[in-house]
CSV table of all heavy atoms in Angstrom, one decimal:
chain,number,residue,atom,x,y,z
A,1286,ALA,N,-72.4,16.1,73.0
A,1286,ALA,CA,-71.3,16.7,73.8
A,1286,ALA,C,-71.7,16.7,75.3
A,1286,ALA,O,-71.0,16.6,76.2
A,1286,ALA,CB,-71.0,18.1,73.4
A,1287,ALA,N,-73.1,16.7,75.5
A,1287,ALA,CA,-73.5,16.8,76.9
A,1287,ALA,C,-73.4,15.5,77.6
A,1287,ALA,O,-73.8,15.4,78.8
A,1287,ALA,CB,-75.0,17.4,76.9
A,1288,GLU,N,-73.2,14.4,76.9
A,1288,GLU,CA,-73.0,13.1,77.4
A,1288,GLU,C,-71.7,12.7,78.0
A,1288,GLU,O,-71.5,11.6,78.2
A,1288,GLU,CB,-73.7,12.1,76.5
A,1288,GLU,CG,-75.1,12.2,76.2
A,1288,GLU,CD,-75.7,11.3,75.1
A,1288,GLU,OE1,-74.9,11.1,74.1
A,1288,GLU,OE2,-76.8,11.0,75.0
A,1289,TRP,N,-70.8,13.6,78.1
A,1289,TRP,CA,-69.5,13.3,78.5
A,1289,TRP,C,-69.3,12.7,79.8
A,1289,TRP,O,-68.5,11.8,80.1
A,1289,TRP,CB,-68.6,14.7,78.5
A,1289,TRP,CG,-68.9,15.6,79.4
A,1289,TRP,CD1,-69.7,16.8,79.3
A,1289,TRP,CD2,-68.5,15.7,80.8
A,1289,TRP,NE1,-69.9,17.5,80.4
A,1289,TRP,CE2,-69.1,16.9,81.4
A,1289,TRP,CE3,-67.6,15.0,81.7
A,1289,TRP,CZ2,-68.9,17.3,82.7
A,1289,TRP,CZ3,-67.5,15.3,82.9
A,1289,TRP,CH2,-68.0,16.5,83.4
A,1290,PRO,N,-70.4,13.0,80.8
A,1290,PRO,CA,-70.2,12.3,82.1
A,1290,PRO,C,-70.4,10.7,81.8
A,1290,PRO,O,-69.8,9.9,82.6
A,1290,PRO,CB,-71.4,12.9,82.9
A,1290,PRO,CG,-71.5,14.2,82.3
A,1290,PRO,CD,-71.4,14.0,80.9
A,1291,VAL,N,-71.4,10.3,81.0
A,1291,VAL,CA,-71.6,8.9,80.8
A,1291,VAL,C,-70.3,8.3,80.2
A,1291,VAL,O,-69.9,7.1,80.6
A,1291,VAL,CB,-72.8,8.7,80.0
A,1291,VAL,CG1,-73.0,7.2,79.6
A,1291,VAL,CG2,-74.1,9.3,80.6
A,1292,LEU,N,-69.8,9.0,79.2
A,1292,LEU,CA,-68.6,8.4,78.5
A,1292,LEU,C,-67.4,8.5,79.6
A,1292,LEU,O,-66.6,7.4,79.5
A,1292,LEU,CB,-68.2,9.4,77.3
A,1292,LEU,CG,-69.3,9.5,76.3
A,1292,LEU,CD1,-68.9,10.5,75.2
A,1292,LEU,CD2,-69.6,8.0,75.7
A,1293,GLY,N,-67.3,9.3,80.4
A,1293,GLY,CA,-66.3,9.3,81.3
A,1293,GLY,C,-66.4,8.2,82.3
A,1293,GLY,O,-65.4,7.6,82.7
A,1294,VAL,N,-67.6,8.0,82.9
A,1294,VAL,CA,-67.8,6.8,83.8
A,1294,VAL,C,-67.4,5.5,83.0
A,1294,VAL,O,-66.7,4.7,83.6
A,1294,VAL,CB,-69.3,6.8,84.3
A,1294,VAL,CG1,-69.5,5.4,84.9
A,1294,VAL,CG2,-69.5,8.0,85.2
A,1295,THR,N,-67.9,5.4,81.8
A,1295,THR,CA,-67.6,4.1,81.1
A,1295,THR,C,-66.1,4.0,80.9
A,1295,THR,O,-65.5,2.9,81.1
A,1295,THR,CB,-68.3,4.2,79.5
A,1295,THR,OG1,-69.7,4.4,79.8
A,1295,THR,CG2,-68.0,2.9,78.9
A,1296,ALA,N,-65.4,5.0,80.5
A,1296,ALA,CA,-63.9,5.1,80.4
A,1296,ALA,C,-63.3,4.6,81.7
A,1296,ALA,O,-62.2,3.8,81.7
A,1296,ALA,CB,-63.4,6.3,79.9
A,1297,GLY,N,-63.7,5.1,82.8
A,1297,GLY,CA,-63.2,4.8,84.1
A,1297,GLY,C,-63.5,3.3,84.5
A,1297,GLY,O,-62.6,2.6,85.0
A,1298,VAL,N,-64.7,2.8,84.0
A,1298,VAL,CA,-65.0,1.4,84.4
A,1298,VAL,C,-64.0,0.4,83.5
A,1298,VAL,O,-63.5,-0.6,84.0
A,1298,VAL,CB,-66.4,1.1,84.0
A,1298,VAL,CG1,-66.7,-0.4,83.9
A,1298,VAL,CG2,-67.3,1.8,85.1
A,1299,VAL,N,-63.8,0.9,82.2
A,1299,VAL,CA,-63.0,0.1,81.4
A,1299,VAL,C,-61.5,0.0,82.0
A,1299,VAL,O,-61.0,-1.0,82.0
A,1299,VAL,CB,-62.9,0.7,80.0
A,1299,VAL,CG1,-61.8,0.0,79.1
A,1299,VAL,CG2,-64.3,0.5,79.3
A,1300,LEU,N,-61.0,1.2,82.5
A,1300,LEU,CA,-59.7,1.2,83.0
A,1300,LEU,C,-59.6,0.3,84.3
A,1300,LEU,O,-58.6,-0.4,84.6
A,1300,LEU,CB,-59.2,2.5,83.4
A,1300,LEU,CG,-58.9,3.6,82.2
A,1300,LEU,CD1,-58.7,5.0,82.7
A,1300,LEU,CD2,-57.7,2.9,81.4
A,1301,PHE,N,-60.7,0.4,85.1
A,1301,PHE,CA,-60.8,-0.4,86.3
A,1301,PHE,C,-60.9,-1.9,86.0
A,1301,PHE,O,-60.2,-2.7,86.7
A,1301,PHE,CB,-62.1,-0.1,87.1
A,1301,PHE,CG,-62.5,-1.0,88.1
A,1301,PHE,CD1,-61.7,-1.2,89.4
A,1301,PHE,CD2,-63.6,-1.9,88.0
A,1301,PHE,CE1,-62.2,-2.1,90.3
A,1301,PHE,CE2,-64.0,-2.8,89.0
A,1301,PHE,CZ,-63.2,-2.8,90.1
A,1302,LEU,N,-61.4,-2.4,84.9
A,1302,LEU,CA,-61.6,-3.8,84.4
A,1302,LEU,C,-60.3,-4.3,83.9
A,1302,LEU,O,-59.8,-5.4,84.0
A,1302,LEU,CB,-62.7,-4.0,83.3
A,1302,LEU,CG,-64.2,-3.7,84.0
A,1302,LEU,CD1,-65.1,-3.9,82.8
A,1302,LEU,CD2,-64.4,-4.4,85.1
A,1303,LEU,N,-59.5,-3.3,83.2
A,1303,LEU,CA,-58.3,-3.8,82.6
A,1303,LEU,C,-57.1,-3.8,83.5
A,1303,LEU,O,-56.2,-4.6,83.3
A,1303,LEU,CB,-57.9,-2.8,81.4
A,1303,LEU,CG,-58.8,-2.9,80.1
A,1303,LEU,CD1,-58.4,-1.8,79.1
A,1303,LEU,CD2,-58.7,-4.3,79.5
A,1304,ALA,N,-57.2,-2.9,84.7
A,1304,ALA,CA,-56.0,-2.9,85.6
A,1304,ALA,C,-55.6,-4.2,86.1
A,1304,ALA,O,-54.4,-4.5,86.0
A,1304,ALA,CB,-56.2,-1.9,86.5
A,1305,PRO,N,-56.4,-5.1,86.7
A,1305,PRO,CA,-56.0,-6.2,87.3
A,1305,PRO,C,-55.5,-7.2,86.3
A,1305,PRO,O,-54.6,-8.0,86.5
A,1305,PRO,CB,-57.2,-6.8,88.1
A,1305,PRO,CG,-58.3,-6.0,87.6
A,1305,PRO,CD,-57.9,-4.7,87.0
A,1306,ILE,N,-56.2,-7.2,85.1
A,1306,ILE,CA,-55.8,-8.1,84.0
A,1306,ILE,C,-54.4,-7.8,83.5
A,1306,ILE,O,-53.5,-8.6,83.2
A,1306,ILE,CB,-56.9,-8.2,82.9
A,1306,ILE,CG1,-58.2,-8.6,83.4
A,1306,ILE,CG2,-56.4,-9.2,81.8
A,1306,ILE,CD1,-58.2,-9.9,84.2
A,1307,ALA,N,-54.2,-6.5,83.3
A,1307,ALA,CA,-52.8,-6.1,82.9
A,1307,ALA,C,-51.8,-6.5,83.8
A,1307,ALA,O,-50.7,-6.8,83.5
A,1307,ALA,CB,-52.8,-4.6,82.5
A,1308,SER,N,-52.1,-6.2,85.1
A,1308,SER,CA,-51.2,-6.5,86.3
A,1308,SER,C,-50.8,-8.1,86.3
A,1308,SER,O,-49.7,-8.4,86.5
A,1308,SER,CB,-51.7,-6.0,87.5
A,1308,SER,OG,-50.8,-6.5,88.6
A,1309,LEU,N,-51.9,-8.9,86.1
A,1309,LEU,CA,-51.6,-10.3,86.0
A,1309,LEU,C,-50.9,-10.7,85.0
A,1309,LEU,O,-49.8,-11.5,85.2
A,1309,LEU,CB,-53.0,-11.0,85.9
A,1309,LEU,CG,-53.0,-12.5,85.8
A,1309,LEU,CD1,-52.6,-13.1,87.1
A,1309,LEU,CD2,-54.5,-13.1,85.4
A,1310,VAL,N,-51.1,-10.2,83.8
A,1310,VAL,CA,-50.2,-10.6,82.5
A,1310,VAL,C,-48.7,-10.1,82.8
A,1310,VAL,O,-47.8,-10.9,82.5
A,1310,VAL,CB,-50.8,-10.0,81.2
A,1310,VAL,CG1,-50.0,-10.3,80.1
A,1310,VAL,CG2,-52.3,-10.5,81.0
A,1311,GLY,N,-48.6,-8.8,83.3
A,1311,GLY,CA,-47.3,-8.3,83.5
A,1311,GLY,C,-46.5,-9.1,84.5
A,1311,GLY,O,-45.4,-9.5,84.2
A,1312,ARG,N,-47.2,-9.5,85.6
A,1312,ARG,CA,-46.5,-10.3,86.6
A,1312,ARG,C,-46.2,-11.7,86.2
A,1312,ARG,O,-45.2,-12.3,86.7
A,1312,ARG,CB,-47.3,-10.3,88.0
A,1312,ARG,CG,-47.5,-9.0,88.7
A,1312,ARG,CD,-46.1,-8.6,89.4
A,1312,ARG,NE,-45.7,-9.6,90.4
A,1312,ARG,CZ,-46.2,-9.5,91.6
A,1312,ARG,NH1,-47.0,-8.6,91.9
A,1312,ARG,NH2,-45.8,-10.5,92.4
A,1313,SER,N,-47.0,-12.3,85.3
A,1313,SER,CA,-46.7,-13.6,84.7
A,1313,SER,C,-45.5,-13.5,83.8
A,1313,SER,O,-44.9,-14.7,83.7
A,1313,SER,CB,-48.0,-14.1,84.1
A,1313,SER,OG,-48.1,-13.5,82.8
A,1314,LEU,N,-45.1,-12.4,83.4
A,1314,LEU,CA,-43.9,-12.3,82.5
A,1314,LEU,C,-42.7,-11.9,83.3
A,1314,LEU,O,-41.7,-11.5,82.6
A,1314,LEU,CB,-44.2,-11.3,81.3
A,1314,LEU,CG,-45.4,-11.9,80.4
A,1314,LEU,CD1,-45.6,-10.7,79.4
A,1314,LEU,CD2,-44.9,-13.0,79.6
A,1315,GLN,N,-42.7,-11.8,84.6
A,1315,GLN,CA,-41.6,-11.4,85.3
A,1315,GLN,C,-41.1,-12.5,86.4
A,1315,GLN,O,-42.0,-13.2,86.9
A,1315,GLN,CB,-41.9,-10.1,86.1
A,1315,GLN,CG,-42.2,-9.0,85.2
A,1315,GLN,CD,-42.6,-7.7,86.0
A,1315,GLN,OE1,-41.8,-7.3,87.0
A,1315,GLN,NE2,-43.6,-7.0,85.7
A,1316,LYS,N,-39.8,-12.6,86.6
A,1316,LYS,CA,-39.2,-13.4,87.6
A,1316,LYS,C,-38.0,-12.8,88.1
A,1316,LYS,O,-37.1,-12.5,87.3
A,1316,LYS,CB,-38.9,-14.8,87.0
A,1316,LYS,CG,-38.6,-15.8,88.1
A,1316,LYS,CD,-38.5,-17.2,87.5
A,1316,LYS,CE,-38.1,-18.2,88.6
A,1316,LYS,NZ,-38.0,-19.6,88.1
A,1317,ASP,N,-37.8,-12.6,89.4
A,1317,ASP,CA,-36.7,-12.0,90.0
A,1317,ASP,C,-36.5,-10.6,89.5
A,1317,ASP,O,-35.3,-10.2,89.1
A,1317,ASP,CB,-35.6,-12.8,89.9
A,1317,ASP,CG,-35.8,-14.2,90.6
A,1317,ASP,OD1,-36.5,-14.2,91.6
A,1317,ASP,OD2,-35.1,-15.1,90.1
A,1318,GLY,N,-37.5,-9.8,89.1
A,1318,GLY,CA,-37.5,-8.5,88.6
A,1318,GLY,C,-37.0,-8.4,87.1
A,1318,GLY,O,-36.9,-7.3,86.5
A,1319,ALA,N,-36.9,-9.5,86.4
A,1319,ALA,CA,-36.6,-9.4,85.0
A,1319,ALA,C,-37.6,-9.9,84.2
A,1319,ALA,O,-38.5,-10.8,84.6
A,1319,ALA,CB,-35.3,-10.3,84.7
A,1320,TRP,N,-37.9,-9.4,83.0
A,1320,TRP,CA,-38.9,-9.9,82.0
A,1320,TRP,C,-38.4,-11.3,81.5
A,1320,TRP,O,-37.3,-11.5,81.0
A,1320,TRP,CB,-39.0,-8.9,80.9
A,1320,TRP,CG,-39.6,-7.7,81.3
A,1320,TRP,CD1,-39.1,-6.6,81.6
A,1320,TRP,CD2,-41.1,-7.4,81.6
A,1320,TRP,NE1,-39.9,-5.5,82.0
A,1320,TRP,CE2,-41.1,-6.1,82.0
A,1320,TRP,CE3,-42.2,-8.1,81.5
A,1320,TRP,CZ2,-42.4,-5.4,82.4
A,1320,TRP,CZ3,-43.5,-7.5,81.9
A,1320,TRP,CH2,-43.5,-6.2,82.3
Side-chain angles (χ1 to χ4, degrees):
E1288 291 171 328
W1289 66 265
V1291 176
L1292 298 173
V1294 170
T1295 303
V1298 167
V1299 170
L1300 289 176
F1301 168 69
L1302 298 180
L1303 287 177
I1306 301 302
S1308 176
L1309 174 67
V1310 174
R1312 290 287 298 278
S1313 73
L1314 294 170
Q1315 295 179 48
K1316 186 174 184 180
D1317 299 329
W1320 294 97

